[in-house]
Structure formats: structure tokens, C-alpha cells
Amino acid sequence: MALLEVKNLQVRVDDREILHGLSLTVNEGEVHAIMGPNGSGKSTLSHVIAGKPGYEVTGGEILFKGEDLLGMAPDERAAKGVFLAFQYPVEIPGVATMNFLRTALNAQRKARGESEFSTPDFLKKVRDVAKSLNIPQDMLKRGVNVGFSGGEKKRNEVLQMALFEPSLCILDEMDSGLDIDALRIAADGVNALRSKDRAMVVITHYQRLLNYIVPDVVHVMSKGRVVKSGGKDLALELEASGYAQFEDAA
Amino acid sequence: MNVALAKTETGRAVSETFAMARSRLPGAGKVADARRKAFESYERAGLPTRRIEDWKYTDLRVLMREVLPLAAVPDQSALAKAVDAVKAAAVENACRLVLVDGTFAPKLSDLGGLDKGLRVQSLRETLDAGADLPAAATDDVMVSLNAAMATDGVIVSVDDGVALTKPVQIVHVATASSASVFTRSRVQVGKGARVTLVESFAAVSGAKSYQVNDAVIVSIGDEADVAHIRLMDDATDAVNISSGLVTVGAKSKVNFLGLTSGGRVSRYQGFITLAGEGSDLSVNGVNLLKESQHGDTTLVVDHAVPNCTSREVFRAVVDDRAHSVFQGKIIVRPDAQKTDGKMMTRALLLSDDAEADNKPELEIFADDVTCGHGAAIGALDESLLFYLRARGLSEKEAQALLIQAFVGEAIESIADDGLRDAVVAIAERWLAARG
Ligand SMILES: Nc1ncnc2c1ncn2[C@@H]1O[C@H](COP(=O)(O)OP(=O)(O)OP(=O)(O)O)[C@@H](O)[C@H]1O
Ligand SMILES: [Mg+2]
């Protein structure tokens, strides 16, 4: 079943059109990779799916589990199972990581009509996930992402993903800033979440990530559109020949 | 409005108020003379207007208009009503000294089992016994009016070397409506003493449109360690004009936090003089204002001697049509070499109609000093809000988390966990009450 359907999406920022009629369908259980040159609109697409303000959708639609996503507030989308691991996670000084995680998790559960986690259950869950991602406990004692290295911030995104158990995971350049070991650990964390009713959209510049998280479909984005889609071999092809051939197509 | 006319009107009203109050004001002879002089100096100026530089943003002639008649001495039913308000305002394990409508209420206070070396009397008691009014070294007109009209207060002293085991909490409870309350207290902290002083202002439900004018004169000896917390949560249609006059001796450590969340019109003015070398002063303030509240925090830190450090952190959260004012002045006297004084103030505007004014001033007369100030006024960071909302927090929840973090920078200066939690709880209640 289609989990995410992006149909002919047109998006403007400050009167400049950035996505020019982009279409993409992701089914439950699938992993899609999106590759494409800098500035082709990958992060813009992920932001619009997550509901970031400042983007004007001038045409097209986004359906999530058949529902109109664009009419929902960002927190509603999160509660319904949309998760974006940010390319640039922000630092939030003064907001303790644990407090943030618990508030977020319980807000999502409450919105779905589920009971809130008790403190011991919550703590156990966070500890287990943190351990599997090699995230030291004292990192969780700091403010959200405060003083985290680039790689630590990315791991913290994967931690949240594992904790919230969303049905759609969008990973925007999860691999940038990760060293080789961290990349493997984070990718293992992501793979552990692969399941038949969860889908993933992995945005990356590097084929290497796709050796760890093997996609079912690879899309090439250029100038605000998906210009080619194929199997996992398309990523290898791109690695060898670059994007030049698609720039014209766009 | 005709300003000249307004002045005569308020002038006449207040002189009547004073004349009517006189028979009730404790203190004869020299105290009565001092009150009359103080009243005359108030009467010459009247309520401060914006034309007086120190009151530029808080024009009391516009905001307060007149001084209301004195509140009646609380009767049994007023005292009974006050009990719940005292309980609600109480910090854990404190020795409470309660003033109801400007009158000391011994029955509501914890006078039994005081720490050894802690002495407590009411102002009225000391004046009746022939003592002077606690003197305040300022010519501020509202402090003069306070000297003229103060009906009661508490006189607290802590002996040299005494470390109090419990905080001393002065609780002001208003039960009267459309009346004014004047209190004046003194706190003396002996050499090497350790004291936590809490001042709370609260109202019983139903107390409306009252006016509070409080002055506290604090003298801190050498090598003392003082935490001083002031929580002003008066009724949202009340006026609260309070003054703190603090003198700090040598090698002492003083940590002050003021939180203003109540009052339609309020001003807290703290005049703090570092009078002994080698002391560390930390002064923190938080204004939480909404609807049409006007809250003014004005702090003057006077480095009179060398080698002291002062740190001021002020945070204002301003919602709806509220107006927050912060005035911070650091004075470094010619002798006060090696002074290290800093002031950081930030205001968070939660609505387009919210307003914050900020006036930092440095008056430096010594050459070998490190002094500075920084200020910022802005809205909540959109990218942080979005991050939180993308994780499932509603707009209000996301704002609340960021606002808590924002005021936390001032509140975290409180060393005592229980007290810090109590202050955080007030901020949380304020946030929860936002629509
Ligand atoms: N807020 C904005 N204001 C103006 N232009 C923007 C804004 N956000 C994105 N753009 C522009 O939209 C285009 C697409 O940006 P986007 O960040 O989506 O690219 P990307 O594919 O994620 O690139 P990268 O691979 O470098 O992360 C770029 O030209 C960018 O400058
Ligand atoms: Mg990007």
C-alpha cells in the first residue's frame, strides 16, 4: 500500500519556485534513496513533508496513508508517523535532552490516544536505544544537541527515530559528518527499524551509505524534479558518471 | 488629560489619605516627625511621571493615578481568608513571617522554635518601644511615601556566625480591595552568617485593585552568605511598588532573584551597594507578563569599594499587550578599582503587541575595571520551534519548553534545589495558564 504519495508538487520560497512538479510514491516496507546535486531541492522536499513553515505550496498534493498531509500541523504529522532526521539538527540550550524526549514521545502518544509512558518505562527504553547506538548516557544529560559534534547530532536523530517508531522515516544526509564506525552503527540502527509497515526515504550524496542501507528504489533529483528512478544499481552508475547526464533532462 | 490638574487632584487625595492614616501609624515623637518630613518630600514631587528620568517608562501618574486610602486592619475573617494564600505561597520548611494587608499577623507566622541567633519583631513593636524607622539611603519619592505611611513590617536580625537552618520567608497577603498597603521591613545579617530570605506577595481570591508599597532595608555584614528570593504574584489588577535597599559588607556572597508574575502595574527597584571589598553579587530577575500587565524591574548596583564582582542576568517574557521594563545601572565609584561588573538582559516577545524596554547604564569613575552589558529583544527562534513541533510538541508545548529554557538561565542561579523547584513551578503555572 502507498504510504507516501507526492503528486506534482510545486513549492516556492520567497517567490522563487524550487520544486517544479515533483512526484514520488513510497510504499510500506520500501526503502527509497534520493540522490541529486547540491541545491536540487532534496531538503526542501523533506521540509515540506515535515511541515516546516516558510514554504508556499503552489500546486500538487501530498498524501500520507491516504490523508492530505499539507493540511496538518507539523506535530500532527509527527503523531501520525512522519519523522524527519534533519540534515542540520539544531541546538536547543536549556532544554534537557531527556525532558525533550519524554515530552515529545508522550505528546505523540497522547495525540494518538495512547497512554503516556511511565518514567521507569521511558528511561529503560531510552537507555536501551542509546546503548544500541553507542550514545553515552552523559550526552543525554546535556541540552538538546548542545555541544554535540556533527556526528553526535546525527546519532541523536537516529536515537529519536528509534524511540518514536515512526512509519515514515526521512533521513536527510544522515551520513554527512559521520566517521566510518559511526556510519556503520547508525546504519545498523536504521536497518533495525526496517519493517514491512515502515518506509524510509534516504537522502544522500554517497553510494557508500547505500551499501549499508540497501534501497529498493533510487531516485535522481535535479532542479526540483525527480528525473530518473531505478534500482539500487542506479546509485553505482551515478557514483561512476556523476549528474551531468541528468542536468539536461531536468 | 490636563496633567497640572491631575497633579493637584492626586496631591490633595494623598494628603487626605495621610491625614486620615496618621492616627493609625505607629511611632511617636521623632518617628512622627520623620514621617511628616518624608510625606512632605513625597508631596512636593507627587507620583513620579515619565519626565523623571528614573521613572521614564513607568509613569505612575498615568498608570496608578492616585494613592488609595489605607487598608483596614485585618479582622478575624480577613485573617482566616489569608490562611490559604499563605499556604499556597509558602516555600517548604520556611520560617514564615506573615503580613496581612500591611499588618503583622503573629498567629499566621512561625514564631515558635526560631533558630538560635535569629530574632524577629514587628515594625510596630519596635516603634512602640521607641526605635527609629528603618532608614533608607535614597531620595526616591515612593520610598519617602513608604516611610510616611508604613503601618507595619518585620524587623529580622541574624547574629554573627549563625547559619540559619530554614529560610526566612516574609509573606505579604492582600485581602482588601481598593485600598493601599504600606510595609517597611529590615533584615540584618551578621558577620559570617548564612541566610536564605524569601519575600512573597500574594492575594486571597477576591482581593481587587489594591496597591502595595513595600520597602525592605537589608544590611549584610562581612563574610556572609545570603540567598534572597522575591516572588511577586499579586492580583493581576493590583499595583505593587517595592524597593529593596541592600548594603553588602566585605567578602560576602549575595545571590538575589526576583520573579514578577503578578500585578497590573509593578515596579521593583533594587538599590544594592557593595560597601566592603572582595564581595560577589549575583542579581537575577525574571518578568513573566501577559494581558495588559506593566512590570518594571530597576536595579542599581553601586560598587563603592574595590575588588567586587557583580553579575546581573535579567529575562523578560512578554505576552499579549504586556509591557516589560528593565533598567540596570552599574555605578563604579572612583575608589572601586578592579571592579568586575556585568549585566545581560534579554526579552522574549510572544505577541506583536508585547513591548519591552531596556535601559542599561554604566557610570564608571574608576579606570582599572571590567564592566559591560549586553541586551537582546526578540521572538522565539522559529527553527527551534519547528524542530520541537516536528517531534510532536504542540505549538504551546514547544513554546513552553523554550520559554522555560529562556528563564532558566536566570533561575538556575538559585543554589537550593527545593527553592529552585518552587520558582520553576511558578513559571510552569504561568506557562500553563497561557491560553
Ligand atoms: N529559505 C530559503 N530561501 C531561499 N532559497 C532557499 C531556501 N531554502 C532553500 N532554498 C533554495 O532552494 C534550492 C534547494 O535547496 P535544498 O536545500 O532543498 O537543496 P538540497 O538538494 O538539499 O541541497 P544539498 O545537497 O546541498 O543539501 C537551493 O537553491 C536553495 O538555495
Ligand atoms: Mg539538503
Side-chain angles (χ1 to χ4, degrees), chain B residues 8-25 35-36 39-40 42-43 47 64-72 142 145-146 148-151 178-182 211 213:
Chain B
T8 359
E9 272 178 12
T10 51
R12 190 179 332 116
V14 77
S15 60
E16 274 166 26
T17 304
F18 182 57
M20 274 160 53
R22 276 178 97 156
S23 61
R24 269 185 55 197
L25 298 174
R35 286 186 187 274
R36 191 173 34 74
F39 184 74
E40 282 164 9
Y42 167 78
E43 205 180 21
L47 285 173
M64 192 173 153
R65 287 207 293 279
E66 56 169 345
V67 176
L68 296 169
L70 268 190
M142 297 309 282
L145 182 62
N146 178 281
M149 302 281 279
T151 49
S178 304
S180 66
V181 169
F182 291 85
Q211 298 175 342
N213 180 326

Side-chain angles (χ1 to χ4, degrees), chain A residues 16-85:
Chain A
R16 190 182 136 209
E17 193 170 273
I18 294 175
L19 301 183
H20 317 281
L22 180 143
S23 296
L24 175 72
T25 298
V26 180
N27 294 314
E28 282 178 344
E30 291 177 350
V31 173
H32 289 226
I34 299 182
M35 305 184 80
N38 295 127
S40 54
K42 303 180 298 295
S43 293
T44 301
L45 173 65
S46 69
H47 288 154
V48 172
I49 294 172
K52 185 171 180 168
Y55 297 92
E56 190 196 348
V57 177
T58 53
E61 61 178 343
I62 304 180
L63 300 180
F64 180 67
K65 298 180 184 169
E67 281 185 277
D68 171 29
L69 199 64
L70 293 172
M72 295 179 204
D75 41 313
E76 247 181 296
R77 303 182 195 199
K80 294 224 184 256
V82 174
F83 181 91
L84 168 62

Side-chain angles (χ1 to χ4, degrees), chain A residues 147-174:
Chain A
F148 286 22
S149 72
E152 286 170 340
K153 284 179 187 164
K154 294 302 179 72
R155 263 187 285 167
N156 193 23
E157 296 290 285
V158 179
L159 170 110
Q160 293 173 48
M161 195 169 103
L163 199 61
F164 302 148
E165 300 174 335
S167 36
L168 175 66
C169 308
I170 304 168
L171 300 150
D172 193 356
E173 297 197 24
M174 186 203 90

Side-chain angles (χ1 to χ4, degrees), chain B residues 1 4 17 25 43 59 85 116-117 135 182 206 209 219 233 252 268 279 296 302 307 349 353 366 383 387 395:
Chain B
M1 189 178 69
T17 304
L25 298 174
E43 205 180 21
D59 188 322
K116 199 162 173 289
F182 291 85
S209 308
S219 59
D233 196 16
S252 285
Y268 177 73
S279 284
D296 174 339
D302 188 343
N307 295 313
L349 303 180
D353 297 324
S383 64
Y387 187 86
E395 186 173 13

